[in-house]
Amino acid sequence: QVRLVESGGGSVQPGGSLRLSCEASESLGSAHCMAWFRQAPGKAREGVASIDALKASTTYDGSVKGRFTISLDAAENTVHLQMNSLKPEDAGMYYCAARVGVCLYDWRSPTSFDYWGQGAQVTVSS
């Protein structure tokens, strides 16, 4: 069973930056997809960004495009999410997700992923 462990959450003011990391307990192979989701209180979990290890391609939700960057360190089995120009609406619990195989077209759906981390809290307020 693959375990995912997130780190790097915290509290920042609007306009600030945070970097989240997620380390997998073992290699997922050359073809795998990793993503970040977030969930605000009372709202559904939503896909923020995904990265396809085989295709070396990234996809972002429109709300974060240009501000967030997802990257993969395959040697360390780790995915990062650099978040810049943070807004209050970016706040929530951020979850790392992974699946074996390429990213699916419907990567924004939580059902597209098999493995999940425990979450990292991100607070954005002045």
Side-chain angles (χ1 to χ4, degrees):
Q1 180 75 7
V2 175
R3 297 186 306 277
L4 303 176
V5 179
E6 298 102 335
S7 61
S11 181
V12 294
Q13 294 184 340
S17 298
L18 280 175
R19 187 177 191 237
L20 302 179
S21 296
C22 170
E23 183 177 1
S25 59
E26 59 188 83
S27 172
L28 292 164
S30 59
H32 64 275
C33 178
M34 299 192 77
W36 288 95
F37 283 72
R38 68 185 177 195
Q39 188 168 20
K43 294 189 176 182
R45 192 170 297 190
E46 60 178 2
V48 173
S50 68
I51 185 164
D52 190 305
L54 187 64
K55 299 178 182 177
S57 61
T58 58
T59 309
Y60 297 91
D61 181 77
S63 65
V64 306
K65 203 167 186 179
R67 301 187 296 122
F68 290 12
T69 302
I70 188 170
S71 60
L72 181 66
D73 184 340
E76 299 293 330
N77 299 326
T78 300
V79 63
H80 304 284
L81 184 68
Q82 178 66 42
M83 304 184 292
N84 298 328
S85 302
L86 282 161
K87 304 175 181 180
E89 53 264 41
D90 293 320
M93 188 71 78
Y94 279 69
Y95 297 92
C96 174
R99 72 180 302 273
V100 175
V102 299
C103 289
L104 301 178
Y105 177 77
D106 194 21
W107 68 269
R108 289 182 180 83
S109 171
T111 60
S112 295
F113 293 87
D114 302 311
Y115 306 106
W116 291 87
Q118 80 289 353
Q121 184 68 44
V122 171
T123 303
V124 185
S125 67
S126 53

